[in-house]
Amino acid sequence: MREILEILQKQCSQKIGLREKRPNVWQVLIPFYHEDGDMVEVFITPLGNNLFRISDYGLTLMRLSYSYDIDTPNKERIFNSIISSYNIQNERGILFLDTELEHLYPALMQFIGVILKVSNMKLYKREVIQSLFFEMLDDFVFTNLAQYEPKKNFHPLPDMPEYEVNYCFNHSRVPVYLFGVNNSSTARLTIISCQKFIIEKLKFRSVTVLESLDCLSRNDQKRLMTAVDKVFPEFTEFEKNGVDYIRREMEILG
C-alpha cells in the first residue's frame, strides 16, 4: 500500500495516512471530522485489477442511528437521493464506492462528502422532509395512474380558485378528486373544499392520501374521515392499493 499512499499524498493538499485495520483493509487517516470532533472513518480495500473499494463498513448509518432514524418513506428517499447522486452503493447498511487507482483520491473526497451529508440528515428541517411527500405523490399519480388522464391543481368551481383539488380523474363525467395531506393545514383545506363542493351540489368522489397518521391530531383525523369518501392512512398503503382502488372507482362511475 506504500505506492497507494504516495499517490494519495501527491494528489492531496492535506496530511493523509493509511493504517492497516485488518488484513487487506486500510483506514484512511485524513483531517475530515464530524460535528462532535470525531474523524470520519473511511477504509480502502484493494480488489485487484487496479480496482479499489472505498467503504465505511456500516459505521455511518450506525452513527446516525444514535440520534436519527431513517424510518419513513420520505427520509428513505432523501437518503437514497444523496447516495445515488454520487454513485455510492448501499449493501445492508454498508456504503461503498469502487474506483480505479488513478481516480482514487477524487473518489475518496466524493465519498467523504457523502458520508458527511448522510451524517447530517438529522439537521434537515421537517418542512423539507414533508415537502417530498407531494413530489412522491406526484410521481406516483403521473406514473401509475396516467391512463386516467389526471389533471393537477384542478378547480371544480372556476370562479372560486381557493377550492382546489390536487388531482382530478374522470373530469368530464363524475370525477374522482384526490387530495394529499401531510399536516393539519392541508387536512382542513381538504375538509373545507369537500364540504363546499357538497353545498354546491357537485357530483364527485373524494380520496385522501395521508403522509402518515402521525401528521394529524385525532380530531383532524375524525373530521377528515367524515368529510371524504376514502382515506389512505399512509402513502405506502396508497402505493400498494391505490391503483386498484382508483380502477374500481372509475369502473363504477363509468
Side-chain angles (χ1 to χ4, degrees):
M1 294 295 288
R2 181 174 297 176
E3 178 189 358
I4 307 304
L5 180 58
E6 290 176 355
I7 291 174
L8 289 174
Q9 288 175 337
K10 286 180 181 178
Q11 296 178 334
C12 181
S13 59
Q14 306 176 71
K15 187 176 180 180
I16 189 169
L18 295 175
R19 176 194 297 160
E20 188 172 17
K21 296 295 289 185
R22 60 175 186 261
N24 214 37
V25 177
W26 299 78
Q27 183 177 4
V28 180
L29 305 177
I30 190 169
F32 284 91
Y33 301 92
H34 294 287
E35 285 190 328
D36 60 5
D38 288 348
M39 184 178 288
V40 174
E41 294 180 285
V42 180
F43 305 87
I44 294 177
T45 301
L47 300 177
N49 296 322
N50 202 42
L51 277 178
F52 294 82
R53 173 161 295 179
I54 304 170
S55 173
D56 72 341
Y57 277 89
L59 295 176
T60 303
L61 291 181
M62 182 179 72
R63 180 187 182 88
L64 182 64
S65 69
Y66 296 149
S67 58
Y68 184 87
D69 291 321
I70 303 177
D71 55 0
T72 69
N74 290 339
K75 291 178 182 179
E76 288 181 7
R77 176 171 174 145
I78 291 174
F79 169 69
N80 290 328
S81 175
I82 291 172
I83 65 172
S84 64
S85 61
Y86 292 92
N87 297 315
I88 306 299
Q89 303 298 310
N90 175 23
E91 188 174 282
R92 298 179 181 178
I94 297 174
L95 305 182
F96 67 90
L97 173 65
D98 293 342
T99 186
E100 296 177 341
L101 176 59
E102 54 267 33
H103 304 302
L104 185 59
Y105 177 69
L108 179 63
M109 293 299 98
Q110 175 180 319
F111 190 81
I112 290 174
V114 171
I115 295 303
L116 291 172
K117 282 189 176 184
V118 171
S119 299
N120 287 323
M121 277 185 64
K122 61 181 178 292
L123 302 180
Y124 278 55
K125 292 183 179 179
R126 178 168 175 80
E127 303 88 68
V128 174
I129 294 174
Q130 285 183 330
S131 69
L132 288 175
F133 164 70
F134 286 100
E135 292 181 23
M136 295 166 65
L137 184 59
D138 201 65
D139 288 344
F140 184 87
V141 166
F142 286 103
T143 299
N144 297 281
L145 299 170
Q147 61 180 309
Y148 303 117
E149 300 179 354
K151 289 193 174 295
K152 187 176 179 179
N153 300 333
F154 185 76
H155 299 97
L157 303 171
D159 295 332
M160 300 179 184
E162 63 271 26
Y163 299 106
E164 184 174 86
V165 174
N166 294 138
Y167 306 95
C168 174
F169 305 94
N170 206 33
H171 55 89
S172 61
R173 288 166 284 184
V174 178
V176 176
Y177 296 156
L178 176 64
F179 300 87
V181 168
N182 67 340
N183 55 39
S184 60
S185 296
T186 52
R188 290 168 190 176
L189 284 172
T190 298
I191 293 166
I192 291 169
S193 294
C194 287
Q195 289 174 340
K196 179 63 175 178
F197 300 153
I198 291 171
I199 291 171
E200 296 295 325
K201 301 187 184 305
L202 299 184
K203 293 182 179 180
F204 68 98
R205 294 282 292 172
S206 53
V207 182
T208 298
V209 180
L210 302 186
E211 180 185 26
S212 71
L213 275 177
D214 295 338
C215 72
L216 297 181
S217 68
R218 289 189 177 181
N219 285 336
D220 281 333
Q221 291 176 26
K222 290 178 182 178
R223 295 188 191 103
L224 186 64
M225 290 176 182
T226 300
V228 303
D229 297 308
K230 171 67 176 178
V231 175
F232 286 91
E234 302 274 348
F235 177 72
T236 51
E237 184 179 329
F238 183 65
E239 285 183 303
K240 187 184 302 181
N241 301 311
V243 172
D244 285 342
Y245 180 83
I246 296 295
R247 176 183 55 77
R248 290 196 301 271
E249 286 290 284
M250 301 298 279
E251 288 174 352
I252 292 170
L253 296 172

